[in-house]
Amino acid sequence: GFTSGPLKGLRVLEVGPGLVAGGWTGATLAYFGAEVVKVEPPEVGDGLRKWRKLDGEGTSLWWQSIARNKRSLALDLRQPEGRQLLRQLAGHADVLVENFKPGTLERWDMAPETLRQQNPGLIVARVSGYGQTGPKSRDPGFASVCEGVGGFRFVNGVPGHAPVRPNLSMGDTLAGMNAVLGILLALLKKGQADASGVVTGLGQTVDASIAESVLGLLEACVPEYDFAGDVRQPSGSSLTGIVPTGTYPCKDGTFMIIGANGDSLFKRLMKAIDRAEL
């Protein structure tokens, strides 16, 4: 919890409609000692509390993972009184993590620059489907769609079949990790001196999007298309242009994953399977 760790003493507010991206941002900070207060709607709480398998008390096992080390606070942000309490809390926080649809904080008169009028050092991390600016910024953004927009879904699966979704919330988690990285960089900058040698301690705004986070995973796909016009295709369990690497069936019905994607590794593999002549 927040009794130890490199982020001990860091006060974090996590607010939004819930689910994974913002929750994973707060969870990662809490893992390393930050004091994270999760703001939830009254009565029903975060939507993830009821997702998938439940424990004996009716709480999601997933929730127990993503809410670990956090404190919870119920505020009705649909009411002016609830939003005013959130403003007051933000006045004493180091970091605000939010994953509302872009424009929500502005509509509530709680844009980052407004909040920093009372708390100049506040870091505001904003996690959304397509970012805070751009032609799709106001669109609702769920990872299931954003992973496709970012190109991640297309390269997954078997040639000739529909793209495959990994049975995990990859886009949400990646966006959360990018938000954490941005927060840590903003904290580092906050403690640095400016050109005149003065440490201003000013906060910054971190903009993390799911679509851009999965786009960042595409490795050489972008330059290969830009320079050679090559569009990376799905390739099952293999990696295009790199062999042998993949998942291979065994006689006993199990599978073996092999990643001998280098000359020295290939030679060792051939010796291990008694095919040194190859």
Side-chain angles (χ1 to χ4, degrees):
F2 47 81
T3 57
S4 62
L7 298 181
K8 179 181 180 180
L10 187 72
R11 294 164 297 184
V12 180
L13 271 178
E14 180 196 318
V15 61
L19 305 181
V20 183
W24 186 247
T25 305
T28 305
L29 297 172
Y31 289 165
F32 292 97
E35 180 179 355
V36 180
V37 175
K38 167 66 178 176
V39 177
E40 303 181 62
E43 299 181 6
V44 296
D46 189 291
L48 202 64
R49 284 181 176 270
K50 299 298 180 182
W51 275 35
R52 298 182 62 81
K53 293 187 180 297
L54 309 181
D55 64 13
E57 298 179 354
T59 301
S60 167
L61 300 176
W62 194 356
W63 169 257
Q64 294 180 11
S65 172
I66 207 167
R68 185 172 58 177
N69 298 331
K70 299 179 186 178
R71 291 173 172 173
S72 288
L73 172 68
L75 286 180
D76 190 348
L77 298 179
R78 296 171 298 180
Q79 304 300 324
E81 296 83 0
R83 296 195 291 272
Q84 180 57 33
L85 286 171
L86 180 61
R87 289 189 191 93
Q88 293 175 14
L89 290 169
H92 300 280
D94 299 301
V95 179
L96 173 67
V97 176
E98 68 98 355
N99 70 315
F100 289 113
K101 184 179 177 181
T104 299
L105 289 187
E106 285 76 5
R107 190 170 69 251
W108 290 344
D109 195 28
M110 284 193 285
E113 55 271 19
T114 303
L115 293 174
R116 279 195 280 269
Q117 290 176 7
Q118 62 169 340
N119 183 359
L122 181 66
I123 295 168
V124 181
R126 316 189 74 172
V127 188
S128 63
Y130 303 103
Q132 301 298 312
T133 60
K136 295 181 68 66
S137 61
R138 292 298 187 263
D139 292 351
F142 288 92
S144 55
V145 177
C146 295
E147 289 175 7
V149 172
F152 179 69
R153 291 284 184 94
F154 181 78
V155 296
N156 283 281
V158 178
H161 293 267
V164 173
R165 172 178 183 166
N167 196 14
L168 295 167
S169 300
M170 294 287 292
D172 284 311
T173 303
L174 283 167
M177 294 305 295
N178 280 346
V180 170
L181 177 60
I183 290 167
L184 297 179
L185 291 173
L187 285 169
L188 183 64
K189 180 65 176 178
K190 187 176 175 179
Q192 292 178 343
D194 61 17
S196 61
V198 177
V199 178
T200 63
L202 296 177
Q204 297 188 66
T205 300
V206 176
D207 183 0
S209 86
I210 299 172
E212 290 178 326
S213 294
V214 298
L215 177 66
L217 279 183
L218 296 189
E219 301 173 352
C221 291
V222 174
E224 285 172 357
Y225 176 75
D226 187 30
F227 286 92
D230 183 62
V231 178
R232 181 82 62 88
Q233 299 295 314
S235 59
S237 66
S238 64
L239 185 62
T240 301
I242 307 295
V243 291
T245 180
T247 305
Y248 302 90
C250 302
K251 285 183 178 180
D252 60 2
T254 60
F255 294 88
M256 176 179 291
I257 299 173
I258 296 176
N261 47 348
D263 288 346
S264 61
L265 290 172
F266 179 77
K267 291 177 182 178
R268 290 161 60 186
L269 173 64
M270 293 303 101
K271 291 178 180 178
I273 63 174
D274 294 328
R275 295 301 303 273
E277 74 278 8
L278 298 176

